[in-house]
Amino acid sequence: MNFGGVDENVVTRAEFPLEKAREVLKNDVIAVIGYGVQGPGQSLNLRDNGFNVIVGQRKDSKSWDKAVEDGWVPGETLFDIEEACQKATIIEYLLSDAGQIAVWPTIKKHLTPGKALYFSHGFGITYNDRTGIVPPSDVDVILVAPKGSGTSLRRLFVEGRGLNSSYAIHQDATGKAYDRVIALGIGVGSGYLFETTFKKEVYSDLTGERGTLMGAIQGIFAAQYQVLRENGHTPSEAFNETVEELSQSLMPLISENGMDWMYANCSTTAQRGALDWWKKFRDATLPVFNELYESVKTGNEAQISIDSNSQPDYREKLNAELKEMRESELWQTGETVRKLRPERN
């Protein structure tokens, strides 16, 4: 399929329908290991799509309790991690990056010949000199990475839609890795699947999360809000012009038909200003993005994540940083603005 003049390998639901995916995996037991960010959405979608899926999770944890609330039955479809791996022919390894490092010895001993090891992030394999995750040579090693959170994956599935995903094959030991990975991608609810590699997936993912998806956009929000407030604008006005209009009005237009279409549906004054200023913002941020990508490529960002997430007080420090953001005037104003949105009838 052609994207902007470049051909890419893409698989759609029309080319690989759900019925074919079920046929490919009819003799497989899929164990979803971890019930945190991606685990619930992928496992529930697989279950609703008619696949033989079980969940492996540490007992006596909040995630175990959440799995029970979602209808997974202890001893039938919900097991501790080791027992789930024993039963599985396909192991979906969906723990956090730090969790994958910690549990890897348990997973590895159950990777018997012919099984498949599935990831939704290229981190563990790409940075295996730091993670120690090196699968045996006689198993398939595959990846399906939905381009969004597990919550979004599940929500769009329930709405009858789909979240686009990338796919990759790191190791094809059985000769069936391609059919397996595409069937799993369709099974978890992908809109369409585009080909990548484990390395490219993690490089683009870490860059995107630190860049336009999360880090950069929060930084830009904070900077514009600060400038407006320092120049006498009220919190409500500053927030609406910085966040609310973007998220509620303009982003849906971009999603529907692209940036140029959004520009065409704004005032001529807005069009002129945007066209005059977008390249200045590109040129100002390009060095930062180059620095970011290099930090990802060298493994520096991976090591920072491993070191941080492995600390015993990681969760407390994370919550403190999120609390600081939540209690900033910018996002306290946002909380008020959201409450004032008219309810949908």
Side-chain angles (χ1 to χ4, degrees), residues 303-315 321:
Q303 194 61 53
I304 291 172
S305 295
I306 291 169
D307 292 344
S308 173
N309 298 348
S310 300
Q311 297 300 314
D313 60 349
Y314 161 72
R315 183 60 59 180
E321 290 183 273

Side-chain angles (χ1 to χ4, degrees), residues 102 123 204 326 342:
F123 191 100
S204 61
R326 183 173 63 251

Side-chain angles (χ1 to χ4, degrees), residues 13 129 236 242 251 304 310:
R13 294 178 183 179
D129 58 330
S236 182
T242 300
M251 290 304 290
I304 291 172
S310 300

Side-chain angles (χ1 to χ4, degrees), residues 211-228:
T212 60
L213 301 178
M214 296 173 67
I217 198 165
Q218 165 62 15
I220 292 170
F221 283 165
Q224 179 170 304
Y225 184 88
Q226 179 178 331
V227 167
L228 291 173

Side-chain angles (χ1 to χ4, degrees), residues 46-196:
L46 283 166
R47 185 178 71 183
D48 289 353
N49 271 334
F51 294 87
N52 187 3
V53 58
I54 61 177
V55 171
Q57 177 59 39
R58 182 170 56 85
K59 290 184 177 179
D60 302 320
S61 66
K62 291 182 179 178
S63 295
W64 177 279
D65 295 339
K66 184 180 187 307
V68 172
E69 290 174 8
D70 287 345
W72 301 100
V73 181
E76 294 182 16
T77 54
L78 176 61
F79 305 90
D80 65 30
I81 290 174
E82 184 139 11
E83 187 172 0
C85 289
Q86 289 173 341
K87 293 178 178 296
T89 58
I90 298 173
I91 297 173
E92 288 204 7
Y93 204 20
L94 300 185
L95 294 172
S96 68
D97 296 325
Q100 287 185 12
I101 296 170
V103 179
W104 176 241
T106 299
I107 302 296
K108 186 176 182 180
K109 67 182 180 180
H110 294 294
L111 288 173
T112 51
K115 286 192 175 184
L117 179 62
Y118 165 113
F119 294 85
S120 283
H121 193 21
F123 191 100
I125 294 293
T126 300
Y127 302 115
N128 58 23
D129 58 330
R130 302 165 190 262
T131 65
I133 297 176
V134 181
S137 60
D138 51 9
V139 300
D140 293 339
V141 181
I142 55 181
L143 172 146
V144 173
K147 297 298 104 181
S149 70
T151 301
S152 298
L153 182 71
R154 180 61 177 168
R155 187 185 72 246
L156 291 172
F157 176 86
V158 170
E159 293 174 357
R161 301 160 64 195
L163 192 64
N164 300 329
S165 302
S166 59
Y167 75 92
I169 299 170
H170 178 70
Q171 194 166 275
D172 183 4
T174 67
K176 302 184 296 183
Y178 176 81
D179 281 350
R180 277 175 148 177
V181 73
I182 300 302
L184 288 162
I186 297 298
V188 301
S190 301
Y192 74 84
L193 294 143
F194 59 93
E195 187 178 23
T196 187

